[in-house]
Amino acid sequence: MIQEWRLDDGQQTLVLAARRGRLPECVYWGAALPAREDLGTLLAAHGIDVTGGMLDENPDLSLCPEAVRSFPGQPGLILRDTDSTPLLPKFCFAEAREEDHALYLTYRDDDARLGLTFGFVADPETHVITCDTTLTADRPVHLHWLAAPVLPAPQLSDEMIDVSGRWCGEFQLARTPWSAGMRYRENRTGRTGHEHFPGLIIPTRGTTNCSGEAYAFHYGWSGGHRMLAEELPDGRRQVQFGHAARMETAPGTEFRTAPLYITYSNAGLNGCAVAFQRHTRDRIVQMPRPDRPRPVHYNCWEAVYFDHKLPVLQDIATRAAALGAERFVLDDGWFGTRDDDTRSLSDWTVDPRKYPDGLTPLIDHVHSLGMSFGLWFEPEMINPDSDIHRAHPDWALGSEDQTLGRQQKALNMALPEVRDFLYDRMSAILSAHAIDYIKWDHNRVLPMPDAAQTRGSYALIDRLRADFPLVEIESCASGGGRIDLGILRRTHRVWLSDSNDALERLRIQHDAALFLPASVTGSHVGPRHCHTSGRVIDISMRAWVAAQRHMGFEMDPRELTDHEAAVLTEVTGWWKANRGWMMRADILRLDSADPAVIAEQQLARDGSRFVTFAGKAATSAQIAPRPLRLTGLDPAATYRVDLINRATAPNLSRGKPALKQGPLVLSGAYLMGHGVTLPWHFPETMWVLEGTRL
Ligand code: DGJ
């Protein structure tokens, strides 16, 4: 018996096929195949030869490689019966359900009394395929590892790119050459983490941002994932993603992986980036008021920290509004007796010493300025020095003698009474005030990974979202420690990094754009003297870097000189004038000929306009700027390009490059084939080039 199925989204085709009722293999994933392709022939053509030193038949690299079938690599499932006996199932076909752009395949092992279902949903608009695996058992079993559908990796690929990072240094791309054996990433911190963003990109040889093929993966789960990319002894390659191993701490009868999002591109890394950006923005994030423009954000954290004084905050709000802010977020320090980070987490009542009349006077003032109001919480956390910990020490997760993180423990979110308590406290505050935004923080790792904890957090957010549907939520975890499509299904913005250093931010944003759209990526203009790096960066650079994403401010506006306030007001005005199309644009990373220049192009969905940001992150090796090639344009069309901040060229730019004099009209072919020649500039500056299709 041969079975085959295909999924198409107009850009990519995925073909699954199986013999003898066994688990299917992905026998093709890549550029769209003709409709007439014979899938049976494809299955036959896919098979590799056998020679000395090999088994008589190559074990299938199936959607869940089975240990019991002599599979020479990591299995897709590791499971024990309640008496701890390892279970080694052999699944047989049970049923297939095909729907428009969707496919569900179910398999059973009647002896082991287990079922396995694979789900695939293609999206012809975003070109992201969403897939997952579900395991069922007729009695509780212990799950050690369950992979989302296992896919082959291309052979014409020399390396893989995955993502690591740290506090203030999120989204660092790690390139690892393929070799025999595996690249294994496992995040056992219990949250998505700065260190292990759950993404993988496999470029084929020679792929750049703008050209070539790439395959990309993202696992949408906030509790810590496991990824392995393995080259088998016969040369085949497999990619597995799932929850971190042994994260299901209790036996169960049904386990489901998080969704694995995959996409294939023949338009370079940008093809994958655009698919993920669009899918995140248009399918995952559910904005409460989609028609409302993304508001310019103000966050008071780096202005006042824990030192909350009503007149000062009112003054800051007034100044922020004058600069163009439309939302004011009151950060940590408003509750309990929270004068520093040693106490009060979980005591979610307004501090009467700082706010004798409650939050209303501040909220009213913020509203009178035309801004909306947001409030910080860190719901999953508890300080040992808090009333709630004194009353309910058993609500904390982990042992009594655990090492604290930022002087705090995590609450056990699997306990319904903990979730009810948090819901009651948070909903009381949301009901009593006109608050339409929560900054939801999560500042420590868990004592151990536990899927029930992540499910508990999701349940609390879902309940609050259901009852306060107009409240937006920002996902923060010491900056970008909880960014993934699992949390973004429930939230609306991410605090990408605690680094407000524009130079660091430029790089972090650039690499995060492989997965994240501008509309959800918060970016703030920080203090002149950066609090996390010590650098002093000019206001123009700080403002333009924030203007690349969802713009905000996070400095004390009282420190601004008149010049700084004027620049910031102007750039904010520019951002407001352009956010309507920019927040829906594709972010395309440019292949910069100068490693000192980090450049991107934001291209409107209809191709009618674009803006290019060329950030000079360091001093260039060569003396004259190298032309910067644009991308994604129509070669036959002409474009008017204009350097909108040419007035910032320094005196040391002595020549007369054309863009310094005025706008130019050039073909898409020239702009993409030769590139724009920008004027000379200092390091730590940004050129901003607008383009309009004529
Ligand atoms: C960590 C966050 O990343 C900061 O932005 C700020 O909200 C602090 N927590 C507050 O404690």
Side-chain angles (χ1 to χ4, degrees):
M1 172 170 70
I2 289 183
Q3 294 166 298
E4 64 289 298
W5 301 272
R6 68 181 280 172
L7 275 174
D8 287 280
D9 69 11
Q11 186 168 293
Q12 63 189 331
T13 300
L14 184 94
V15 179
L16 305 175
R19 287 194 181 84
R20 294 171 290 200
R22 291 189 180 177
L23 293 182
E25 297 184 86
C26 172
V27 297
Y28 178 84
W29 176 27
L33 292 176
R36 64 179 179 283
E37 191 83 52
D38 185 277
L39 302 185
T41 310
L42 215 65
L43 173 63
H46 168 78
I48 52 174
D49 202 357
V50 170
T51 180
M54 294 173 88
L55 293 172
D56 296 341
E57 191 183 336
N58 289 300
D60 293 346
L61 200 179
S62 76
L63 295 180
C64 185
E66 292 154 300
V68 75
R69 294 200 192 270
S70 309
F71 184 68
Q74 297 297 311
L77 173 65
I78 304 177
L79 191 65
R80 285 179 188 272
D81 222 327
T82 20
D83 65 358
S84 279
T85 316
L87 286 164
L88 295 168
K90 273 184 187 175
F91 287 102
C92 294
F93 177 74
E95 134 191 342
R97 188 159 54 86
E98 291 186 71
E99 293 169 9
D100 205 18
H101 297 294
L103 176 63
Y104 303 91
L105 302 174
T106 299
Y107 291 78
R108 286 212 181 88
D109 178 332
D110 290 333
D111 296 334
R113 294 156 23 232
L114 296 169
L116 200 60
T117 299
F118 307 102
F120 288 84
V121 180
D123 190 319
E125 280 174 39
T126 67
H127 304 294
V128 167
I129 297 173
T130 306
C131 53
D132 62 13
T133 303
T134 306
L135 175 81
T136 53
D138 72 347
R139 75 290 180 196
V141 291
H142 290 281
L143 184 70
H144 176 112
W145 168 242
L146 176 64
V150 176
L151 293 157
Q155 302 261 320
L156 185 65
S157 166
D158 298 324
E159 61 179 10
M160 63 192 95
I161 305 172
D162 55 33
V163 189
S164 56
R166 61 168 166 81
W167 177 70
C168 284
E170 291 82 349
F171 284 91
Q172 299 180 24
L173 303 185
R175 290 178 182 257
T176 310
W178 283 99
S179 62
M182 63 174 164
R183 166 95 168 145
Y184 181 105
R185 299 278 314 260
E186 182 157 22
N187 170 6
R188 303 201 62 77
T189 68
R191 66 173 184 184
T192 328
H194 305 78
E195 304 83 4
H196 308 280
F197 176 77
L200 172 70
I201 302 173
I202 305 181
T204 61
R205 188 175 299 156
T207 291
T208 68
N209 286 316
C210 301
S211 67
E213 287 181 298
Y215 296 76
F217 304 77
H218 169 71
Y219 191 64
W221 172 244
S222 315
H225 76 291
R226 169 178 166 178
M227 173 206 99
L228 61 93
E230 182 178 32
E231 181 161 302
L232 303 177
D234 56 37
R236 288 179 296 172
R237 293 165 172 179
Q238 64 159 336
V239 172
Q240 296 191 8
F241 271 93
H243 292 13
R246 301 179 306 281
M247 224 186 156
E248 296 292 355
T249 53
T253 55
E254 180 169 328
F255 300 96
R256 186 172 187 177
T257 67
L260 176 65
Y261 301 93
I262 61 171
T263 187
Y264 158 82
S265 154
N266 58 10
L269 302 186
N270 284 334
C272 298
V274 165
F276 282 141
Q277 290 167 21
R278 292 183 183 181
H279 198 79
T280 301
R281 184 187 52 229
D282 300 340
R283 298 287 187 270
I284 301 293
V285 174
Q286 292 146 34
M287 287 289 179
R289 289 175 238 180
D291 298 334
R292 176 175 142 181
R294 306 306 296 133
V296 176
H297 204 94
Y298 177 79
N299 182 297
C300 70
W301 176 240
E302 295 205 358
V304 299
Y305 294 101
F306 299 100
D307 186 13
H308 291 204
K309 294 191 179 74
L310 182 61
V312 171
L313 288 165
Q314 287 174 328
D315 181 22
I316 286 175
T318 303
R319 291 166 189 260
L323 294 165
E326 299 162 313
R327 170 190 283 151
F328 180 95
V329 178
L330 185 66
D331 210 284
D332 195 354
W334 58 268
F335 54 91
T337 52
R338 180 87 167 162
D339 296 335
D340 56 32
D341 62 10
T342 62
R343 67 176 77 92
S344 291
L345 286 175
S346 79
D347 292 341
W348 300 115
T349 47
V350 179
D351 183 347
R353 300 168 310 153
K354 296 178 186 170
Y355 298 96
D357 300 314
L359 293 176
T360 303
L362 178 60
I363 296 177
D364 285 350
H365 180 75
V366 164
H367 285 167
S368 74
L369 297 163
M371 291 192 285
S372 60
F373 186 84
L375 193 61
W376 181 95
F377 287 93
E378 194 177 3
E380 287 104 333
M381 297 296 154
I382 185 163
N383 285 118
D385 184 1
S386 66
D387 294 342
I388 296 303
H389 195 277
R390 281 182 281 275
H392 301 282
D394 52 316
W395 282 5
L397 197 65
S399 63
E400 208 17 66
D401 64 349
Q402 67 178 280
T403 306
L404 301 181
R406 206 191 189 204
Q407 290 83 237
Q408 65 202 49
K409 298 180 186 175
L411 285 165
N412 185 347
M413 298 297 291
L415 298 176
E417 60 270 32
V418 168
R419 295 198 301 269
D420 287 345
F421 157 76
L422 289 168
Y423 176 84
D424 290 346
R425 288 288 169 100
M426 294 177 76
S427 62
I429 296 210
L430 295 176
S431 305
H433 303 92
I435 294 174
D436 73 358
Y437 191 81
I438 293 174
K439 178 175 177 185
W440 189 301
D441 214 337
H442 188 295
N443 283 307
R444 63 156 290 170
V445 298
L446 301 185
M448 78 291 272
D450 183 347
Q453 178 77 5
T454 311
R455 286 191 285 265
S457 292
Y458 285 173
L460 175 63
I461 304 175
D462 291 347
R463 188 172 168 197
L464 285 163
R465 289 272 306 120
D467 291 349
F468 300 92
L470 295 182
V471 175
E472 278 186 32
I473 303 178
E474 171 178 22
S475 175
C476 172
S478 302
R482 185 154 65 175
I483 300 178
D484 60 82
L485 294 198
I487 203 74
L488 274 167
R489 190 169 273 296
R490 308 172 156 81
T491 58
H492 312 94
R493 186 185 204 247
V494 296
W495 182 225
L496 186 61
S497 177
D498 270 353
S499 174
N500 278 329
D501 175 316
L503 279 191
E504 293 177 351
R505 198 81 180 194
L506 176 72
R507 199 282 306 155
I508 299 170
Q509 286 177 180
H510 188 69
D511 290 329
L514 288 168
F515 298 92
L516 298 176
S519 55
V520 307
T521 309
S523 191
H524 299 173
V525 179
R528 183 185 313 126
H529 195 128
C530 176
H531 292 189
T532 53
S533 71
R535 278 200 190 94
V536 175
I537 299 179
D538 182 70
I539 187 65
S540 178
M541 182 67 170
R542 282 184 278 148
W544 282 118
V545 169
Q548 289 183 287
R549 299 292 184 266
H550 180 195
M551 186 173 192
F553 319 140
E554 192 170 336
M555 91 300 275
D556 186 338
R558 294 172 300 176
E559 80 164 29
L560 296 173
T561 63
D562 290 348
H563 165 72
E564 288 171 330
V567 171
L568 189 50
T569 308
E570 186 185 335
V571 175
T572 305
W574 178 89
W575 188 82
K576 283 182 176 170
N578 287 279
R579 64 183 158 188
W581 70 270
M582 272 175 56
M583 291 298 102
R584 296 201 48 73
D586 297 325
I587 305 172
L588 304 170
R589 293 156 38 106
L590 295 178
D591 291 321
S592 171
D594 181 349
V597 174
I598 296 177
E600 71 178 33
Q601 181 183 324
Q602 299 193 11
L603 179 64
R605 287 293 286 271
D606 63 1
S608 63
R609 62 195 299 179
F610 63 86
V611 58
T612 300
F613 295 100
K616 193 159 171 182
T619 304
S620 299
Q622 81 288 347
I623 198 157
R626 297 187 194 278
L628 178 65
R629 287 180 173 213
L630 306 189
T631 191
L633 305 179
D634 177 353
T638 46
Y639 295 84
R640 179 182 187 274
V641 290
D642 193 13
L643 193 60
I644 62 168
N645 59 342
R646 63 169 62 80
T648 64
N651 290 341
L652 272 177
S653 160
R654 298 189 296 134
K656 292 190 171 54
L659 276 171
K660 212 169 121 185
Q661 315 306 312
L664 299 176
V665 174
L666 293 162
S667 69
Y670 177 86
L671 291 168
M672 293 191 291
H674 179 276
V676 288
T677 304
L678 295 163
W680 190 92
H681 215 330
F682 288 135
E684 305 185 11
T685 56
M686 178 91 86
W687 284 129
V688 184
L689 184 83
E690 283 184 349
T692 319
R693 186 179 171 141
L694 299 177

